Amino acid sequence: MLEIKSLTAQVEEDGKQILKGIDITVRPGEVHAIMGPNGSGKSTLANVIAGREDYEVTGGTMTLNGEDLLEMDPDERAHEGVFMAFQYPVEIPGVSNTYFLRAAVNARRKAKGEEEISAMNFMKMIRDKIKLLDLSDDLLTRSVNEGFSGGEKKRNEVFQMAVIEPTLCVLDETDSGLDIDALKTVADGVNALRSPDRMFVVVTHYQRLLNYIVPDYVHILKDGKLVKSGGKELALELEEKGYGWLDEETAAAK
Amino acid sequence: MSTLTYESDFSSVVSGARPLPVSKAAAELRARGLEAFNTQGLPTPKQEEWKYFPLRSIADRSWQPGESGPAVFEEDLTWMAEDGLKVVMVNGQLDRNLSDLSAVKGLHCGSLASAYVEFPDLVEPLIGSIADIDNNPFAALNTALFHDGVFIRVEKGAMIEQTIEIVHVSTGDNQVFAPRIFILAEEGCSAKIVERWQTDGSSKSLTIPVVEAKVRERAVIEHIRIQDEALDSCHIGLWESDQAADSEYKAYNIAFGAEQARLDQNMMIGGEHAVARLDGVVCAHKNQIIDNHTKLDHAVPNCNSFEIYKQVIDDKASVVFNGKIFVHLDAQKTDAVQTNQALLLSPDTTINSKPQLEIFADDVKCTHGATVGQIDEDQRFYMMQRGISAEEAEGLLVYAFAAEVLELISIESVKKALEARLYDKLN
């Protein structure tokens, strides 16, 4: 279970406050969508869960299955099962996708006191999983994300997720820049990973992705606060009325 | 002459130089070397070319002539090339017991001193014909001291499959070693040479080698120089080559070792449609000072040259790169590319990078770029998010940075050994 309570965070560099008190509880098996207009803080939330040092947590708590994530470095969070699919996957020239993934898998195994995976078993596993994302085998030997198209980069993120098998998957605007076919492939990849003990936090600007990855809960983030939570129908309502609707609602409440 | 005086003028080293092979030509060359050394004197920091390579710590020490090395090493000799020909030089002299010089058709590889005796007509006009000793005092000093080395001749049309691996081992303290290497690549031949500079454990020695390579028409040579001496030694070398038409000379310089290391690498492209590569990987840490001066002369039209230098610098190390490219007036249609990239891993490092292109022809393509950077935070975070530790992420990124050059090496076993060595050094 992921429990976030009264979480506040600011940009490290200039002290600008972005998250102004967030409360979310994600139980195993659940998919939570975080929606919100540009600049609302939804990507910040994803990055704070992953432990990016550009943000400083100034208050509140965040635990995963009772373990304090805020005390952990990004790699330790990954060992606890946190995975973030990046909005802008990073290119790493000179490091092959396969080498990178194997290092990632073995780092997690080592942290859990398990033996390293054999090269043969590893190759078999990744060949099985790469089919899932409709990616060509030659991406395995190429450098991480280098020269990948936008769609390939996003699919590669979900492919990595399938290989690493995290407990908590955070998708940061995974739909941005995808055409409808690529969107479906990515969503199929994500849906194949859904299981009773895995949690998903799906950050998105548009409702479109949620047609394919159907959430259990939808939260709307605005100016660093959750202003509305509901079921999957909330996303549809938002799609219909636009983010401006929230302003009207807020104004009416006053 | 130098305006600065050092404690040592190397005169006792010169007077104690080991005996020469019985050769009038070699004796004359040594005399010419001494004259060139005396004329130049030791460089001072006021001389632009030596500004960032402090000689005082070397020139104030009391140096002795090099002595023969021990028959048994403290550390085991290792080989990088699989099934290669093995040449072992100890303290500047060929060690026949440790070398494995099986006869290979089309190849002569052996002691330079012996070559002077065996085929004087071939050797005498070659040695000293390429190295410019009038503009490099240590190359002049080498010439004044040399008594042995390696002579390699790849005969016309010979395709040598086996890698020729030369390991130079310096031992003992306060001695100066001046080995001399000559590579003669005749018309249309091909060969791969690995030249390694080592010490047997720690050794406060000074090694001042001169390597000359004559690459004749259509010859294809891959030459990898690996300087990995202990961190208390000093190494000041000259590597100079002369290429004829349609030849290809790939010269890789891997500089990992020594407390202070300097290499001047001069390449002359003197025949049309020749291709030259001069690439480097430098990895310096602790208090190392590693200085590489490269000079490439495009003297004729229609030639290509590629130069990529990658430098990884940690702790308080200091690295110098000076890359000269001269495109002579006649050298139209030259295509020259130079890249120099430094990766700084600590705030106390120093890099002095100076690309220097002088182009006299008007129809050429010459590009150069120099960058200095640090580990990319986004890349590091991305790797850590996948569970890789900060240290491993850094190691992988540095390795990937250097790999762009190491990948160019075509000898798989050597490439693997270098990658492992780099990884070792970084951790």
Side-chain angles (χ1 to χ4, degrees):
Chain A
M1 187 162 71
L2 172 71
E3 281 186 288
I4 298 175
K5 287 182 183 158
S6 313
L7 186 75
T8 56
Q10 63 187 28
V11 179
E12 237 251 332
E13 205 174 82
D14 60 8
K16 186 177 179 242
Q17 195 165 13
I18 309 281
L19 301 181
K20 299 171 180 170
I22 305 280
D23 293 87
I24 300 177
T25 300
V26 184
R27 292 177 190 81
E30 289 178 355
V31 175
H32 288 240
I34 312 280
M35 300 187 72
N38 290 331
S40 58
K42 53 190 193 302
S43 270
T44 300
L45 178 59
N47 279 282
V48 165
I49 295 173
R52 192 188 276 272
E53 283 167 7
D54 298 352
Y55 303 103
E56 190 189 342
V57 173
T58 48
T61 60
M62 182 161 71
T63 61
L64 181 64
N65 299 329
E67 301 288 333
D68 183 2
L69 288 181
L70 296 178
E71 281 296 305
M72 297 180 197
D73 286 335
D75 54 327
E76 294 167 322
R77 296 184 196 202
H79 301 157
E80 283 297 319
V82 177
F83 181 97
M84 179 168 79
F86 283 58
Q87 183 179 5
Y88 303 108
V90 179
E91 297 189 4
I92 311 176
V95 178
S96 84
N97 232 353
T98 304
Y99 190 94
F100 174 64
L101 267 175
R102 196 162 164 224
V105 167
N106 281 333
R108 196 164 166 212
R109 282 178 165 242
K110 201 173 143 194
K112 286 198 280 187
E114 294 171 7
E115 268 187 40
E116 293 198 347
I117 189 167
S118 78
M120 223 166 69
N121 287 343
F122 179 74
M123 286 314 289
K124 191 182 172 309
M125 172 177 79
I126 60 174
R127 284 194 195 292
D128 287 346
K129 296 200 170 169
I130 201 162
K131 287 189 197 112
L132 204 70
L133 273 305
D134 196 23
L135 283 163
S136 92
D137 272 10
D138 73 276
L139 290 194
L140 293 174
T141 51
R142 282 164 58 188
S143 294
V144 178
N145 291 321
E146 193 187 30
F148 287 25
S149 71
E152 281 173 335
K153 280 183 183 169
K154 294 298 178 75
R155 278 185 281 161
N156 192 32
E157 292 294 288
V158 180
F159 164 59
Q160 290 181 24
M161 195 162 89
V163 171
I164 290 173
E165 298 182 330
T167 320
L168 169 65
C169 306
V170 181
L171 278 67
D172 185 11
E173 308 220 13
T174 296
D175 51 336
S176 67
L178 291 184
D179 62 29
I180 194 70
D181 291 333
L183 186 75
K184 279 183 191 161
T185 311
V186 163
D188 287 347
V190 171
N191 287 330
L193 285 171
R194 288 180 74 158
S195 78
D197 49 9
R198 189 164 286 143
M199 297 162 257
F200 286 86
V201 173
V202 180
V203 170
T204 181
H205 187 82
Y206 301 103
Q207 184 270 339
R208 179 174 85 142
L209 178 68
L210 305 181
N211 288 335
Y212 302 100
I213 303 172
V214 180
D216 300 297
Y217 298 93
V218 174
H219 309 276
I220 297 170
L221 191 62
K222 195 170 165 288
D223 192 25
K225 283 182 213 152
L226 290 181
V227 292
K228 214 168 173 59
S229 294
K232 61 185 175 199
E233 65 286 348
L234 180 57
L236 291 167
E237 198 175 352
L238 194 64
E239 175 78 0
E240 193 184 314
K241 298 179 178 168
Y243 283 111
W245 161 61
L246 294 171
D247 295 331
E248 289 159 30
E249 280 233 321
T250 320
K254 279 178 187 167
Chain B
M1 283 301 291
S2 60
T3 52
L4 191 86
T5 51
Y6 297 109
E7 299 293 327
S8 167
D9 60 3
F10 292 94
S11 56
S12 63
V13 176
V14 172
S15 60
R18 277 188 269 178
L20 266 171
V22 190
S23 160
K24 191 163 164 271
E28 280 170 8
L29 184 59
R30 278 224 318 208
R32 188 153 73 79
L34 184 58
E35 198 190 324
F37 178 66
N38 286 336
T39 307
Q40 291 170 82
L42 288 171
T44 72
K46 287 209 174 85
Q47 282 164 260
E48 183 65 23
E49 297 299 316
W50 292 86
K51 197 171 167 185
Y52 303 109
F53 192 80
L55 269 181
R56 176 160 293 286
S57 52
I58 294 174
D60 275 355
R61 276 163 63 179
S62 164
W63 294 103
Q64 290 150 22
E67 291 168 17
S68 300
V72 182
F73 293 136
E74 287 174 26
E75 292 181 355
D76 289 341
L77 265 183
T78 57
W79 300 94
M80 283 192 173
E82 239 167 39
D83 306 321
L85 287 165
K86 299 174 169 67
V87 185
V88 181
M89 296 275 299
V90 183
N91 290 0
Q93 195 153 20
L94 188 93
D95 187 316
R96 284 182 175 74
N97 294 325
L98 294 172
S99 301
D100 168 19
L101 296 165
S102 334
V104 172
K105 197 174 168 348
L107 175 73
H108 171 87
C109 176
S111 146
L112 175 66
S114 309
Y116 260 108
V117 178
E118 284 172 57
F119 6 84
D121 292 348
L122 176 71
V123 173
E124 285 174 2
L126 288 175
I127 311 303
S129 66
I130 297 172
D132 174 11
I133 60 170
D134 294 318
N135 290 295
N136 188 320
F138 288 93
L141 185 58
N142 168 287
T143 309
L145 297 174
F146 90 98
H147 55 91
D148 197 7
V150 182
F151 182 73
I152 294 173
R153 176 192 181 191
V154 189
E155 287 175 22
K156 193 171 170 178
M159 304 282 170
I160 308 302
E161 296 288 328
Q162 279 179 285
T163 300
I164 303 159
E165 183 167 354
I166 310 165
V167 179
H168 301 265
V169 185
S170 295
T171 69
D173 291 332
N174 306 318
Q175 299 174 40
V176 179
F177 304 115
R180 189 100 186 180
I181 291 94
F182 197 98
I183 297 159
L184 172 64
E186 294 186 348
E187 293 81 354
C189 76
S190 80
K192 292 172 182 177
I193 298 158
V194 175
E195 174 203 331
R196 293 168 56 201
W197 299 91
Q198 306 272 121
T199 50
D200 182 29
S202 82
S203 166
K204 294 186 177 65
S205 54
L206 169 62
T207 305
I208 50 167
V210 170
V211 179
E212 294 174 281
K214 189 154 197 71
V215 184
R216 295 222 154 111
E217 286 80 2
R218 301 180 314 284
V220 177
I221 301 293
E222 180 171 344
H223 185 163
I224 304 148
R225 178 192 216 270
I226 303 156
Q227 189 276 105
D228 198 7
E229 295 181 357
L231 295 193
D232 53 358
S233 77
C234 296
H235 186 106
I236 304 177
L238 172 68
W239 179 6
E240 193 144 357
S241 60
D242 181 19
Q243 274 181 265
D246 302 303
S247 66
E248 200 176 313
Y249 188 48
K250 296 181 202 163
Y252 304 115
N253 172 30
I254 314 295
F256 289 170
E259 181 180 23
Q260 264 186 258
R262 157 111 180 192
L263 177 70
D264 283 71
Q265 186 182 1
N266 301 338
M267 292 179 98
M268 163 63 79
I269 309 180
E272 286 193 48
H273 303 288
V275 177
R277 277 216 84 103
L278 60 162
D279 303 297
V281 176
V282 175
C283 182
H285 68 167
K286 297 187 178 164
N287 287 307
Q288 281 186 283
I289 300 170
I290 300 184
D291 180 338
N292 286 293
H293 272 60
T294 68
K295 177 168 160 275
L296 185 68
D297 271 282
H298 275 275
V300 295
N302 299 311
C303 293
N304 295 349
S305 66
F306 304 91
E307 178 171 20
I308 308 173
Y309 255 79
K310 297 263 189 171
Q311 291 138 330
V312 180
I313 317 169
D314 200 359
D315 304 324
K316 293 181 172 173
S318 169
V319 165
V320 182
F321 173 77
N322 184 299
K324 294 190 185 76
I325 297 179
F326 295 110
V327 180
H328 297 216
L329 191 59
D330 286 339
Q332 301 295 1
K333 307 285 181 195
T334 289
D335 190 346
V337 182
Q338 184 192 78
T339 314
N340 167 230
Q341 296 175 330
L343 183 62
L344 310 183
L345 300 179
S346 115
D348 300 321
T349 57
T350 307
I351 168 83
N352 284 289
S353 177
K354 187 177 173 193
Q356 201 178 328
L357 277 63
E358 294 186 26
I359 301 164
F360 300 97
D362 56 10
D363 182 15
V364 301
K365 211 166 98 188
C366 290
T367 59
H368 72 92
T371 58
V372 177
Q374 286 157 285
I375 292 280
D376 184 293
E377 285 306 321
D378 285 337
Q379 290 178 337
R380 183 179 10 214
F381 175 64
Y382 189 75
M383 296 176 115
M384 287 180 77
Q385 206 304 301
R386 298 304 187 242
I388 297 167
S389 70
E391 294 75 34
E392 197 183 347
E394 196 166 292
L396 265 174
L397 289 170
V398 171
Y399 166 76
F401 170 81
E404 191 184 342
V405 170
L406 296 179
E407 286 298 319
L408 296 168
I409 294 170
S410 78
I411 313 162
E412 212 50 43
S413 53
V414 174
K415 181 160 70 183
K416 286 271 177 315
L418 277 174
E419 287 171 352
R421 180 66 190 98
L422 176 66
Y423 194 82
D424 249 22
K425 176 153 185 180
L426 291 166
N427 293 283

